[in-house]
Amino acid sequence: TYRWFLGRAVPVRDGSGAIVSWVGTATDIDVQKRSQEAQRFLVEAGAILGSSLDYRRTLVEVANAAVTRIADWCVVHGVEPDGSLRRLAVAHGDPGKAPLVEELELRYPQRRDTPFGPAPVVASGIPELVPEISEQLLSAAAADETQLDLLRELGLRSYMCVPLRVRDRTFGAITFVQAESGRAYGEDDLALAEELARRAATAIENSRLYRAAEERAQAARVLANVGDGVVLVDREG
C-alpha cells in the first residue's frame, strides 16, 4: 500500500558547527493529500464538463483526467435506446493496455447477470464498491477461461462503478479501477466518484435538453415559412 507522508528533518551540530546527526519525523498526511487531490480533480472535471455541449467528447476527456488522478483505468458506458450499453470512453495509464479493455468489450459485451459491473449498476441505479478484487470474484465474473485470462492480465486490484443518473433517468455508468498503483478504494473514493457522476449526468442532461430545444427552434423556423400548414403522413398513408 502506498500512502503520502510529510517528512521533516533538522541537523544536530557540535560546537564547531559540524553536523553530527539528524532528527526527523514522518507524518501520515494521506487523508489530507487525497482530499486535496479530489477537490482539484472535481474542479478540473467541472471545467471539462462545462467546456462543450458535446457530452461524448467531454466524457472522453473526463476519463483521461481520471487516469493517474483517481484510477489506473476508467471506462464510461452509455445506455442506448434499446437498453443495451455502449462504451463511450476508455482510458488507461499504460496505452499498451487500453487495447485489452477494448478487446474485452468487443468479445464479451456487458451482461446483467454478472456479479459486478456497469450493467447491474445501470439496472439497479446503485453504485458498487469492491475494495479488493479477489480471484473468486474474477472467476465468477468471467464467462470463460479466455475472459478470465484477460481480466488477470489487467491486474485488477480494486474497483468502483457509479451510475450516471439524473432524477429517475440513468444515462450510463462510469467504472474506475486500480491496478498497477496498488491502491484500494474506500468510502471516500466512492463519494468522490458519485459526485463526479452527478456532475457528468447533469452535463449530459443539459446537452440533451439544449439539443431538443434547438430541434424545436428549427421546427418553429420551418413552420414560420409554411404558408398554410404541415401534413404528417405515416407508412399507411
Side-chain angles (χ1 to χ4, degrees):
T1 301
Y2 294 87
R3 298 181 67 85
W4 283 97
F5 281 80
L6 174 63
R8 295 189 179 94
V10 295
V12 177
R13 302 176 184 272
D14 60 16
S16 65
I19 297 175
V20 295
S21 62
W22 289 83
V23 177
T25 62
T27 306
D28 187 332
I29 58 168
D30 196 71
V31 173
Q32 300 95 309
K33 188 71 174 179
R34 288 197 184 192
S35 177
Q36 292 170 2
E37 289 183 340
Q39 291 305 314
R40 282 196 294 267
F41 173 67
L42 282 178
V43 170
E44 180 182 344
I48 293 172
L49 291 169
S51 65
S52 171
L53 288 170
D54 183 356
Y55 72 88
R56 294 179 185 271
R57 181 175 67 83
T58 56
L59 287 176
V60 171
E61 294 182 9
V62 167
N64 288 327
V67 167
T68 71
R69 300 288 292 277
I70 63 171
D72 290 324
W73 56 279
C74 177
V75 184
V76 183
H77 288 89
V79 177
E80 294 290 278
D82 63 357
S84 63
L85 294 184
R86 176 187 178 189
R87 176 172 49 82
L88 301 178
V90 57
H92 197 294
D94 180 0
K97 288 194 174 182
L100 286 176
V101 181
E102 295 180 356
E103 183 179 354
L104 275 171
E105 290 288 325
L106 290 174
R107 298 181 62 174
Y108 302 96
Q110 295 294 322
R111 310 189 328 266
R112 293 194 177 188
D113 61 345
T114 55
F116 66 94
V121 167
V122 168
S124 67
I126 300 173
E128 290 182 341
L129 170 64
V130 180
E132 183 178 356
I133 300 176
S134 64
E135 178 67 18
Q136 291 78 7
L137 192 61
L138 286 181
S139 299
D144 54 34
E145 286 297 323
T146 301
Q147 186 180 16
L148 182 58
D149 289 339
L150 288 171
L151 292 172
R152 286 170 175 163
E153 192 171 351
L154 285 170
L156 312 181
R157 296 286 299 275
S158 188
Y159 148 91
M160 58 184 177
C161 183
V162 291
L164 292 167
R165 188 177 181 85
V166 174
R167 293 182 291 277
D168 58 345
R169 185 175 183 183
T170 301
F171 300 105
I174 306 181
T175 302
F176 305 90
V177 177
Q178 296 286 15
E180 296 84 358
S181 65
R183 290 176 56 180
Y185 286 126
E187 293 296 335
D188 291 342
D189 299 301
L190 182 62
L192 169 64
E194 289 182 292
E195 175 61 19
L196 173 65
R198 184 189 67 78
R199 298 186 184 194
T202 300
I204 295 173
E205 175 74 352
N206 291 340
S207 174
R208 292 183 172 181
L209 290 174
Y210 179 82
R211 186 180 298 112
E214 281 290 291
E215 291 173 352
R216 288 195 297 270
Q218 177 64 22
R221 287 191 290 270
V222 171
L223 288 174
N225 293 313
V226 174
D228 299 309
V230 176
V231 178
L232 302 180
V233 183
D234 61 18
R235 292 180 178 179
E236 284 71 41

